[in-house]
């Protein structure tokens, strides 16, 4: 179908007050989804399906025509916008404040859970033309007869795929069945799974379908990745934060526990961050979000679910602490940056085994990911140093009565040269930082190095003779040890015995898990095969059999870790009684307390 395309808002047919309002906002050219949606939606009677992600300007794509169409002389609900989360609901409502600021007698309300329903009912009773709602709360209001939808002419389903993912299918069906006077339904979704298609087929009449090319919308995002060994992920994250002093971003984790774990560690080390995950109450989430919006905190550590609906424009970085399993989630995550015409970086921290997943995402998103080297300690220090000097130079001394203190300051520094004063200021800021990074090693791991350094090769006295084939053997190993497939490397199943590669971090536990175990009445023998996988170095069997010990089981300083001295790292010690200066991968804080670089700075 031919779509009328315009280059500017001027001749699109928006109402004058709406046009004036967006001029104030500095919107000059419509984004692709706006170009394609607005002329269709302004007709008022056409159903519409827009495939567009957050950050493409989709709120204005439906908001501007919706506001242009409603009749403010009538105090009845005419427009209904349904969206998945409270955050998005508030954001849309706020955008409507902006778009409708020149509209006389325009009233709208946001209704969502986790906030007083009585206040919302009071606002509705005053008379509103547009309601922005999350499904659950809206149903609640319908059931209390606090809202009637029989005057609604236009219904918008925003982020329809998210709503269905969150299990709102029945609620949406129910709500749509109440909007009996509907003239048009407009559905926006980042993706078009079957369930969304079904909604469009059931409730819409021959809708106009528009898809904005995600390449087009995501062109300002640079996709990069860093590769490290899995136990260096946390340390790598810290370096990336430290080497980007202006970073304002979101770190995505797979689980709440991981988000909590990283948050606790970073907080302990003085970083200005907070967690956003499902265990928080609504009040706590609001508090975190408001601190993030006003930039009191520069980084959110978030799970995908909790980060839904986060709509902050100036995010510079999105970090995948682990890659998501689905490409769609990657796209959602990366779409949090490079919004409103800005550019952004989406960083993935990978261990060697995640490369396959990365290639899949590259293929699906048709983006090329650039591999970057994890910065060295020296690079981090230099970056911080330059940033500090810049800040010092730019610091505003026009306010405050510094002049009154000048005589005193001059007196105090009378015996010091300018050079010395500068050095002292710098050392005050940097000594901790320099000290921290002084001995920092190379965290980069190429496929090969990662593999060599990462695994211990174990001999096990079980083989094909015992009735195993590979898959069954793997299952047996995982059942016996409680570890995951990702922690194992190559399995070589011979006739009477086998060799299994296991992640160095779990080698001790893995061996110990077989202690005293028998298979068909025969005791299972398991030991390090003598020859380490790739890298050299010995294996202190005594130490490593000790599961609870302060385990300095020296795996040897073999392959891959650069200057990193493995014998200094806690090996299998989970009790936190580690051996002091663990600059990397120090999971439980067994290393230096308060060891963070450069407090409260990035
Ligand atoms: P959205 O996809 O609706 O979340 O919008 C992303 C951001 O782009 C929001 O901050 C909007 O204010 C901004 N925006 C939307 N349309 C335009 C436009 N035509 N020109 C400039 N900025 C826009």
């Amino acid at each position: 179908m031919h779509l009328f395309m315009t280059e500017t808002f001027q001749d699109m047919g928006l109402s004058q007050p709406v046009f004036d309002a967006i001029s104030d906002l500095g919107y000059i050219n419509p984004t692709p989804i706006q170009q394609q949606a607005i002329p269709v939606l302004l007709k008022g009677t056409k159903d519409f399906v827009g495939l567009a992600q957050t950050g493409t300007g989709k709120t204005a794509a439906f908001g501007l025509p919706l506001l242009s169409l409603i009749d403010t002389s009538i105090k009845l609900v005419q427009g209904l916008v349904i969206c998945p989360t409270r955050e998005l609901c508030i954001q849309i409502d706020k955008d409507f404040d902006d778009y409708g600021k020149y509209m006389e007698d325009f009233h709208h309300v946001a209704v969502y859970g986790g906030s007083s329903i009585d206040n919302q009912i009071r606002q509705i009773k005053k008379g509103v033309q547009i309601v922005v709602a999350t499904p659950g709360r809206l149903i609640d209001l319908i059931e209390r007869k606090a809202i009637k939808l029989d005057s609604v002419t236009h219904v918008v389903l925003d982020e329809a795929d998210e709503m269905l993912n969150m299990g709102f299918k029945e609620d949406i069906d129910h709500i749509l069945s109440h909007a009996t006077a509907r003239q048009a339904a407009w559905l926006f979704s980042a993706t078009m799974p079957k369930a969304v298609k079904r909604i469009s087929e059931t409730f819409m009449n021959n809708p106009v379908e528009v898809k904005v090319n995600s390449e087009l919308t995501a062109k300002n995002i640079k996709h990069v990745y860093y590769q490290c060994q899995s136990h260096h992920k946390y340390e790598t994250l810290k370096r990336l934060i430290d080497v980007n002093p202006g970073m304002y971003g979101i770190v995505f984790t797979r689980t709440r526990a991981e988000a909590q774990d990283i948050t606790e560690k970073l907080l302990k080390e003085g970083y200005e961050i907070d967690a956003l995950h499902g265990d928080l109450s609504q009040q706590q989430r609001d508090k975190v979000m408001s601190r993030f919006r006003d930039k009191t905190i520069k980084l959110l550590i978030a799970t995908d679910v909790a980060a839904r609906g986060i709509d902050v424009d100036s995010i510079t970085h999105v970090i995948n602490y682990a890659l998501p399993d689905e490409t769609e989630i990657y796209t959602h995550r990366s779409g949090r940056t490079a919004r409103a015409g800005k550019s952004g970086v989406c960083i993935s921290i990978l261990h060697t085994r995640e490369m396959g997943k990365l290639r899949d995402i590259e293929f699906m998103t048709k983006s090329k990911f650039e591999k970057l080297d994890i910065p060295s300690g020296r690079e981090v220090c230099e970056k911080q140093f330059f940033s500090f000097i810049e800040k010092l130079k730019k610091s505003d001394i026009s306010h405050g009565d510094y002049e009154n203190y000048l005589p005193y300051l001059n007196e105090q520094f009378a015996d010091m040269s300018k050079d010395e004063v500068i050095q002292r200021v710098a050392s005050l800021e940097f000594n901790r930082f320099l000290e921290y990074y002084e001995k920092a090693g190379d965290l980069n791991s190429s496929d090969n190095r990662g593999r060599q350094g990462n695994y211990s090769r174990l001999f096990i006295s079980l083989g094909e003779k015992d009735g195993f084939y590979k898959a069954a053997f793997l299952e047996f190993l995982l059942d016996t040890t409680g570890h995951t497939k990702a922690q194992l490397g190559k399995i070589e199943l011979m006739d009477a015995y086998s060799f299994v590669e296991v992640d160095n971090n779990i080698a001790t536990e893995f061996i110990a898990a077989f202690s005293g175990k028998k298979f068909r009445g025969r005791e299972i023998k398991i030991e390090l095969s003598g020859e380490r996988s790739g890298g050299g170095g010995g294996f202190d069997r005594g130490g490593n059999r000790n599961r609870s010990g302060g385990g300095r089981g020296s795996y040897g300083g073999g392959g891959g870790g650069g200057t990193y001295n493995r014998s200094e790292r806690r090996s299998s010690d989970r009790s936190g009684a580690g051996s002091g200066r663990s600059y990397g991968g120090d999971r439980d804080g067994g290393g230096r307390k308060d060891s963070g670089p450069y407090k409260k700075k990035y």
Side-chain angles (χ1 to χ4, degrees):
M1 105 155 259
H2 175 72
L3 285 168
F4 176 52
M5 302 280 278
T6 49
E7 282 303 312
T8 66
F9 284 112
Q10 187 83 50
D11 39 18
M12 275 187 156
L14 295 169
S15 72
Q16 194 61 41
V18 169
F19 178 76
D20 291 344
I22 57 166
S23 305
D24 283 3
L25 288 174
Y27 292 8
I28 297 164
N29 297 312
T31 65
I33 185 69
Q34 292 164 0
Q35 277 192 26
Q36 300 186 62
I38 292 173
V40 179
L41 305 193
L42 276 173
K43 289 189 175 120
T45 51
K46 209 79 208 86
D47 285 343
F48 180 88
V49 172
L51 289 181
Q53 295 158 19
T54 180
T56 54
K58 65 181 169 60
T59 314
F62 63 76
L64 306 183
L66 185 63
L67 267 63
S68 294
L69 286 171
I70 61 154
D71 182 350
T72 51
S73 66
I74 307 172
K75 276 196 168 181
L76 289 174
V77 184
Q78 299 157 51
L80 172 65
V81 180
I82 313 168
C83 64
T85 62
R86 170 194 167 100
E87 282 77 16
L88 190 58
C89 194
I90 294 171
Q91 184 61 45
I92 295 171
D93 192 57
K94 199 175 129 295
D95 287 346
F96 286 4
D97 275 339
D98 293 338
Y99 306 152
K101 70 176 186 178
Y102 294 126
M103 290 168 58
E104 258 175 61
D105 295 324
F106 172 45
H107 302 284
H108 55 107
V109 64
V111 296
Y112 45 81
S115 187
S116 157
I117 196 165
D118 294 331
N119 282 345
Q120 293 172 358
I121 292 174
R122 261 195 296 278
Q123 276 181 277
I124 295 167
K125 283 219 169 103
K126 280 191 210 154
V128 292
Q129 291 102 8
I130 295 184
V131 174
V132 185
T134 52
R137 177 52 59 98
L138 186 59
I139 299 248
D140 207 351
L141 288 164
I142 294 172
E143 273 164 14
R144 289 175 189 227
K145 304 213 182 318
I147 195 167
K148 282 174 86 180
L149 301 183
D150 52 7
S151 53
V152 170
T153 48
H154 293 85
V155 177
V156 183
L157 301 173
D158 192 19
E159 302 206 349
D161 51 352
E162 286 288 342
M163 288 201 277
L164 296 174
N165 279 343
M166 291 165 83
F168 285 134
K169 185 183 152 295
E170 270 83 29
D171 289 356
I172 290 172
D173 289 352
H174 186 66
I175 291 166
L176 288 174
S177 71
H178 276 260
T180 44
R182 202 175 70 236
Q183 292 169 13
W186 306 337
L187 181 152
F188 286 78
S189 188
T191 55
M192 193 62 167
K194 275 204 192 84
V196 175
K197 189 108 195 108
R198 195 199 61 84
I199 289 223
S200 80
E201 283 165 2
T202 316
F203 291 98
M204 297 173 132
N205 184 13
N206 197 18
V208 173
E209 281 194 25
V210 159
K211 180 178 179 171
V212 293
N213 190 342
S214 61
E215 278 175 278
L216 205 72
T217 58
K219 66 179 175 209
N220 295 332
I221 305 177
K222 191 170 163 194
H223 301 270
V224 303
Y225 70 97
Y226 295 87
Q227 211 175 8
C228 65
Q229 294 178 24
S230 56
H231 58 280
H232 283 158
K233 273 199 168 183
Y234 175 68
E235 178 65 12
T236 301
L237 172 67
K238 274 201 322 188
R239 279 208 202 169
L240 298 176
I241 300 171
D242 289 339
V243 87
N244 288 290
M247 183 183 277
Y248 176 54
I250 309 178
V251 178
F252 282 97
T253 61
R254 264 168 181 280
T255 61
R256 295 171 192 186
E258 193 171 53
Q260 196 60 47
D261 181 44
I262 297 174
T263 304
E264 276 166 21
K265 282 192 267 179
L266 287 173
L267 281 176
K268 217 193 257 173
E269 303 200 56
Y271 289 83
E272 292 166 325
I273 58 119
D274 214 334
L276 193 69
H277 55 69
D279 284 346
L280 304 181
S281 68
Q282 192 58 57
Q283 228 180 354
Q284 287 170 314
R285 286 169 55 108
D286 286 350
K287 218 162 130 197
V288 173
M289 275 315 293
S290 103
R291 285 181 356 108
F292 185 58
R293 277 183 212 286
D294 69 22
K295 299 196 174 167
T296 313
I297 47 173
K298 304 279 178 50
L299 264 189
L300 279 184
I301 317 295
T303 53
D304 291 294
V305 176
R308 274 189 184 134
I310 290 185
D311 235 344
V312 179
D313 273 352
S314 45
I315 288 173
T316 59
H317 291 77
V318 164
I319 301 183
N320 296 298
Y321 193 71
L323 276 180
D325 288 326
E326 288 158 42
T327 307
E328 265 171 37
I329 297 181
Y330 181 89
T331 317
H332 270 288
R333 288 181 180 182
S334 60
R336 305 285 161 202
T337 185
R339 296 166 60 82
K342 299 193 177 76
S343 55
V345 184
C346 185
I347 294 176
S348 298
I349 302 175
L350 308 180
H351 60 78
T352 41
R353 295 183 150 259
E354 286 176 302
M355 280 313 291
K357 225 188 253 178
L358 181 93
R359 299 288 170 231
D360 286 350
I361 295 176
E362 270 189 328
F363 179 74
M364 298 296 286
T365 57
K366 299 192 178 63
S367 320
K368 182 80 195 126
F369 287 44
E370 188 183 349
K371 181 176 185 213
L372 297 179
D373 283 339
I374 301 166
S376 65
R378 190 184 177 83
E379 283 169 78
V380 175
C381 289
E382 280 179 9
K383 207 53 186 275
Q384 283 287 342
F385 200 69
F386 291 140
S387 153
F388 169 67
I389 301 298
E390 274 310 301
K391 259 196 270 178
L392 192 70
K393 275 167 45 185
K394 281 189 191 149
S395 72
D396 184 4
I397 49 170
S398 62
H399 307 291
D401 50 359
Y402 296 106
E403 276 148 44
N404 292 336
Y405 293 103
L406 259 185
Y408 169 75
L409 291 172
N410 280 327
E411 191 187 309
Q412 287 296 313
F413 292 110
D415 295 336
M416 276 185 222
S417 68
K418 182 179 163 192
D419 278 359
E420 199 178 342
V421 174
I422 291 174
Q423 279 176 34
R424 278 172 192 261
V425 171
S427 81
L428 202 64
E429 281 283 326
F430 279 95
N431 272 2
R432 288 163 54 80
F433 201 78
L434 291 172
E435 189 193 327
Y436 180 82
Y437 274 112
E438 200 173 31
K439 295 196 175 70
D442 180 6
L443 299 178
N444 289 291
S445 99
S446 69
D447 279 4
N448 196 29
R449 276 192 298 164
R451 199 167 170 75
Q452 284 187 341
N454 234 8
Y455 291 102
S456 297
R457 190 163 184 256
L458 307 181
F459 164 88
I460 304 178
S461 62
L462 294 171
E464 285 172 347
K465 251 192 184 157
D466 299 291
F468 285 115
Y469 53 95
K470 225 173 194 172
F473 190 51
L474 174 67
E475 202 176 340
F476 169 77
L477 295 176
L478 301 183
D479 279 353
T480 310
T481 62
H483 288 297
T484 62
K485 192 166 166 251
Q487 292 168 304
L488 304 193
K490 205 163 58 177
I491 296 176
E492 295 165 69
L493 195 60
M494 313 292 189
D495 196 30
Y497 56 88
S498 54
F499 292 107
V500 177
E501 285 183 344
V502 302
D503 189 315
N504 281 336
N505 285 338
I506 59 150
T508 308
E509 285 169 304
F510 196 93
I511 293 174
F514 285 91
S515 159
K517 289 255 157 67
K518 292 185 175 173
F519 187 76
R520 292 182 179 161
R522 191 160 55 90
E523 196 170 327
I524 304 172
K525 263 187 75 182
I526 175 166
E527 58 187 9
L528 197 82
S529 79
E531 153 211 2
R532 275 207 47 220
S533 283
F539 183 92
D540 174 354
R541 279 174 59 186
N544 280 297
R545 283 185 190 281
N546 175 4
R547 290 185 76 176
S548 61
R552 291 184 50 134
S554 56
Y555 295 134
T563 57
Y564 179 76
N565 179 354
R566 281 174 183 283
S567 67
E568 281 192 354
R569 184 171 60 79
R570 283 178 307 122
S571 54
S572 62
D573 170 33
R574 299 215 161 173
S575 65
S579 57
R581 275 192 75 99
S582 59
Y583 77 80
D586 179 17
R587 296 188 61 84
D588 307 317
R592 288 188 298 163
K593 285 246 160 49
D594 197 24
S595 58
Y598 189 24
K599 265 220 173 230
K600 298 214 178 213
K601 296 282 187 302
Y602 290 122

